[in-house]
Each structure stands twice: as C-alpha cells, then as structure tokens.
C-alpha cells in the first residue's frame, strides 16, 4: 500500500509543484507523511494501519518528485548533479539508519508501533527547516515573482553570473508565454522532443528498478537465508552491511557525477551490475546442485555486495539527476512526476513478483533475468540518454530539439561550451 500511495503521490506531485511551487509541495508531503506515521503507530486495527501506510506512500511519492527538482533549480549547473545525488544519499543513508533503529526497538514493548511512529521525526524536522528555505528561484521567476526570484538568485551567484542567469530566465519566460500556460499529461506525447526526453527519463527510472536494486534492499535478509545462512541475526547483520555499502556508494556517486558525467557513470555502473548479477546467479545455481559446499553461499553474498557497490554510485542517483534537468520548465513538474510514477510502478512490479519468480524459476534464474534486463538497460542508455554534465537547462532543451528534428546531436559542442563556461 505504501508503494501504491507513492505511485499516486508521484503522479500528482508534478502538478502540485508546478501550480503551488516546489516548497509548498514538499511541505505538504511532510504533513501527509507525518499524519500517516502517527496513524500507523496508533492504529487499533489493520484497516487504519493500512490507510496510514497509504498516506505515508503519498508523502513519499510527492517528495520523490519535488525534492530533486527543487535542488536542481536552486543549484549552479556545475554542481547540480552532485547536489541532486546528495538527495539520494539521504535516502540510502536513511535505509541504513532504519535497520539500526529497527534493531534497537526489537526488545522494546510495543516494538512495531515505535518502529512506525518514529518515522514521523524526519518529516517533522524537514518541515521545520524547509519553512526557512526560499522557493525555487526558477519557479518564482517564471510563475510568480521576478523580484523575489532575483533576491534568491543573488544568494547563489556572483553579480556577473547572476546577470547571465536572469537573461536566460527572461528568454525562457518569453518562450513559455508563447506556449500553452498549462501542461496536461497527454501534452507530453504531442511534442517529439518532449517524447524523446520522457523516453530517456522514464526509461532510466524503469531500469533503476527492473535491474533488481530494491529486491536486494527489500528482501536482503531473505536472499541471505536463501544463500544458506539460516540465522536471523546473521541475515540481518549481512543485510546491514549491504545497506551500508549502498550509502557509501552513493557518496562516491556524489563525488564523480559532475566530474565524469551522467552517461559515463551510469554505463560503468551497469557494467558492474551485469557482472555482479551473473556472479549471484551462478552462485545460487551451483549451490542448488551442491548444498554441502558453503563457498557458494559466500560467493552469493560477495555478489550482492559487489552489486550494491556498482549500483549505488551510478544507477542509484543518475536517474533522479537526469530527470531533474532534461525537461523544459513548463514540462518539468509533469514529466518529473510521470517519470517518478514509472519508478514506483516498476518498484511495485519487482517487489511483488520477486519471491514468486524465485519460487517458479529458482533464485539463480531470477537473478539471471535481472542480468538480461541490465544488458538491455546498457544498450538503452547508449542509444537514448545524452550527456548533460555542466549544461544549462536551455542547452539541454536544444539537444532534444536537434535530436527530434534531425539536425544532429550537438551535445559534444554544448558540453565543450558548458565546460568552458564552468572553467
């Protein structure tokens, strides 16, 4: 139900952030999440618990759209990727902390109520701090108050760069005035360049889940036990290590995403993911034919660790970073929401089918399916995803226009210009 709520929240989150602003959308997500957490903790029966779970999912879904867009629109282009990736670090770091917190509450009376209720604290803290942050300067300039936008921009850029940014926003505003003032979901598919952008963004979000990451995160202890480690405590401990690697890998991603570029990073990440999935698959297949050899169980654990180590710096943050920067302003909220919905739908699909597939095909064959999907993802990135490192939103928009209308992909030339501007 949390994933269903997240799908609905992500679908609505883009529209909410476009109409009311990135800040208000995030604050509303915090309120809904807090209500859901407290409702779960106090639930007298299963139905209120399930409804609270739905509310928590709604909050997560809205925040998953608005947070990356808010960060991207308030960040200079040369560090935009790293700052968006920091949002992913907060997620992976939060997953690691949740293991520790749940472990701490296992011996406390009312165990599960504390586990669910304490999740309201991060939302309350974020709401309290977000109140003091400004609205996205791009959203302010294009949708509400130019003077307020310039005040915010002056806190981010030096005077020379500030003038450049204002000029770019003025051009963008004029272009938006010549377009329709509101964007509906089906409008995304009427424009060839927006279709291409959404294909790249939505495809990345789908492959992030279909290559099996949240299978490892959701079912980590179960997979460890499938590998032959029957102790619940050992399974939880090994899963905790995997969660820690996920957070550490995201830190590496923050460091390299604006240095190596999005495309190179995600292709390197997928290469390691493919090799790791093959190792996991082979380990389980060999173990099924020789239950007495504990080596295969440890090889499976090594494969899981390598999988997370390769996945977390690239396929973890890059889809969110790319989706925060590849759409024109008027489409950014809508397309970002649609792409996030694709992510949550794919997440739900993988989470609901993994155990059934593992039962029907075997664990080894299931991970081999993930490896095949990762190969398809590798080819998809090469063909459909352009490099956006160091480019302004306007330069990225020109890439899609050239791709759509057959004038050649000038991303290399734009990259050179972006790098020079950065230098």
């Amino acid at each position: 139900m949390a994933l269903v709520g997240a799908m609905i929240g992500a679908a609505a989150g883009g529209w909410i952030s476009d109409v009311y602003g990135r800040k208000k959308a995030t604050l509303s997500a915090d309120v809904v999440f807090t209500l859901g957490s407290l409702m779960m903790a106090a639930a007298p029966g299963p139905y209120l618990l399930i409804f609270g779970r739905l509310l928590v999912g709604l909050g997560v879904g809205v925040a998953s759209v608005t947070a990356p867009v808010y960060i991207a629109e308030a960040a200079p282009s040369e560090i935009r990727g790293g700052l968006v990736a920091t949002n992913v670090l907060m997620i992976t770091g939060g997953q690691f902390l949740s293991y520790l917190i749940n472990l701490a509450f296992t011996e406390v009376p009312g165990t599960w109520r504390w586990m669910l209720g304490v999740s309201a604290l991060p939302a309350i803290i974020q709401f309290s701090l977000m109140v003091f942050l400004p609205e996205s300067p791009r959203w302010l300039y294009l949708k509400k108050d130019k003077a307020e936008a310039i005040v915010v921009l002056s806190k981010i850029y030096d005077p020379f760069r500030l003038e450049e940014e204002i000029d770019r926003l003025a051009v963008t505003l004029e272009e938006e005035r010549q377009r329709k003032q509101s964007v509906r979901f089906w409008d995304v598919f009427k424009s060839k360049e927006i279709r291409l952008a959404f294909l790249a963004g939505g495809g990345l979000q789908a492959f992030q889940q279909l290559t099996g990451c949240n299978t490892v995160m959701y079912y980590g202890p179960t997979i460890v036990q499938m590998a032959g480690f029957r102790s619940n405590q050992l399974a939880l401990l090994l899963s905790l290590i995997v969660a820690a690697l996920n957070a550490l890998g995201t830190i590496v991603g923050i460091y390299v995403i604006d240095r190596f570029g999005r495309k190179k990073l995600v292709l390197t990440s997928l290469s390691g993911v493919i090799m790791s999935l093959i190792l996991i698959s082979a380990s389980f297949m060999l173990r099924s034919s020789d239950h007495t050899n504990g080596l295969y169980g440890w090889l499976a654990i090594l494969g899981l660790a390598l999988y997370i180590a390769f996945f977390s710096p690239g396929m973890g943050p890059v889809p969110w970073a790319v989706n925060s920067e590849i759409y024109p302003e008027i489409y950014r909220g809508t397309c970002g929401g649609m792409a996030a919905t694709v992510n949550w739908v794919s997440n739900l699909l993988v989470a609901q089918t993994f155990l059934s597939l593992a039962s029907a095909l075997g664990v080894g064959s299931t991970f081999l399916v993930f490896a095949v999907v990762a190969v398809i993802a590798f080819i998809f990135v090469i063909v459909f995803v352009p490099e956006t490192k160091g480019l302004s939103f306007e330069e990225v928009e020109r890439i899609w226009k050239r791709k759509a209308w057959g004038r050649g992909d000038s991303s290399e030339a734009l990259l050179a210009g972006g790098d020079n501007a950065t230098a």
Side-chain angles (χ1 to χ4, degrees):
M1 287 307 295
L3 291 175
V4 170
M7 288 161 46
I8 298 169
W15 176 81
I16 294 170
S17 71
D18 274 349
V19 174
Y20 298 104
R22 320 316 189 193
K23 179 178 176 178
K24 287 182 180 177
T26 305
L27 292 172
S28 67
D30 290 330
V31 171
V32 172
F33 187 95
T34 301
L35 288 174
S37 298
L38 297 177
M39 188 177 293
M40 289 190 298
Y47 296 110
L48 200 59
L49 179 68
I50 292 169
F51 183 67
R53 198 73 176 148
L54 179 68
L55 289 180
V56 163
L58 286 170
V60 170
V62 173
S64 71
V65 178
T66 57
V69 171
Y70 177 88
I71 295 167
E73 291 186 344
S77 59
E78 62 270 19
I79 59 169
R80 186 172 60 222
L83 289 178
V84 174
T86 302
N87 179 61
V88 180
L89 172 62
M90 296 299 102
I91 296 169
T92 57
Q95 288 174 332
F96 175 73
L97 287 175
S98 72
Y99 275 100
L100 293 178
I101 291 167
N102 289 346
L103 194 61
F105 278 121
T106 52
E107 302 300 326
V108 175
T111 299
W112 63 267
R113 293 188 185 275
W114 283 105
M115 289 179 179
L116 296 174
V118 77
S119 64
L121 284 177
I124 293 170
I125 292 169
Q126 178 170 275
F127 183 94
S128 302
L129 297 176
M130 192 79 187
V131 167
F132 299 101
L133 288 177
E135 179 55 84
S136 156
R138 288 186 68 90
W139 185 86
L140 284 172
Y141 193 95
L142 299 174
K143 298 289 181 69
K144 187 183 177 184
D145 189 333
K146 292 182 188 177
E148 189 178 345
I150 292 171
V151 170
V152 176
L153 287 168
S154 67
K155 297 177 181 178
I156 302 171
Y157 300 106
D158 59 47
F160 176 76
R161 183 77 178 274
L162 174 63
E163 191 174 335
E164 270 188 358
E165 291 298 319
I166 294 171
D167 289 343
R168 283 176 176 168
L169 286 173
V171 171
T172 303
L173 179 61
E174 186 56 36
E175 290 175 353
E176 300 304 336
R177 281 175 176 165
Q178 295 172 11
R179 299 175 182 173
K180 289 188 291 185
Q181 291 302 303
S182 61
V183 173
R184 293 162 293 185
F185 291 109
W186 49 86
D187 290 332
V188 171
F189 303 101
K190 293 179 180 179
S191 166
K192 188 175 181 181
E193 56 260 40
I194 303 303
R195 284 201 306 271
L196 288 172
F198 180 68
L199 173 65
L204 275 175
Q205 293 285 33
F207 282 121
Q208 185 194 64
Q209 297 299 325
L210 297 178
T211 49
C213 176
N214 275 324
T215 294
V216 175
M217 299 311 298
Y218 295 156
Y219 297 112
T222 304
I223 295 169
V224 169
Q225 291 185 326
M226 287 175 175
F229 302 93
R230 297 300 177 187
S231 165
N232 287 337
Q233 288 180 328
L234 181 59
L236 185 60
L237 178 62
L238 291 172
S239 299
L240 188 63
I241 294 171
V242 169
L245 284 173
N246 195 20
L248 290 172
T250 308
I251 294 173
V252 174
I254 293 170
Y255 180 76
V256 300
I257 192 170
D258 286 313
R259 289 168 173 80
F260 297 157
R262 287 72 160 133
K263 189 166 184 174
K264 188 184 295 185
L265 178 57
V266 82
L267 289 174
T268 303
S269 175
L270 282 169
S271 299
V273 162
I274 292 165
M275 292 186 292
S276 304
L277 288 169
I278 292 172
L279 175 60
I280 297 170
S281 175
S283 301
F284 276 103
M285 287 179 177
L286 291 170
R287 185 180 177 278
S288 66
S289 61
D290 184 6
H291 286 282
T292 62
N293 195 335
L295 173 64
Y296 298 134
W298 285 108
L299 280 177
I301 299 302
L302 175 63
L304 286 174
L306 288 173
Y307 173 89
I308 289 296
F310 278 106
F311 183 96
S312 53
M315 279 301 286
V318 167
W320 297 105
V322 168
N323 272 280
S324 71
E325 62 192 7
I326 60 172
Y327 307 115
E329 174 67 31
I330 194 171
Y331 289 95
R332 192 165 298 135
T334 300
C335 288
M338 291 169 65
T341 303
V342 170
N343 184 292
W344 288 110
V345 170
S346 304
N347 188 331
L348 179 64
L349 176 66
V350 171
Q352 291 297 104
T353 59
F354 171 71
L355 293 179
S356 300
L357 282 174
S359 177
L361 303 177
V363 182
S365 297
T366 301
F367 277 103
L368 194 59
V369 170
F370 287 142
V372 171
V373 173
V375 171
I376 297 170
F378 188 93
I379 297 168
F380 174 87
V381 171
I382 291 175
V383 175
F384 294 107
V385 180
E387 182 54 76
T388 55
K389 181 190 79 168
L391 301 184
S392 69
F393 291 115
E394 290 73 24
E395 288 169 331
V396 174
E397 188 174 349
R398 288 201 291 273
I399 288 178
W400 296 118
K401 287 179 178 177
R402 286 169 180 143
K403 277 183 172 291
W405 307 112
R407 298 171 193 165
D409 182 2
S410 64
S411 60
E412 294 300 323
L414 287 173
L415 270 172
D419 287 343
N420 291 336
T422 301

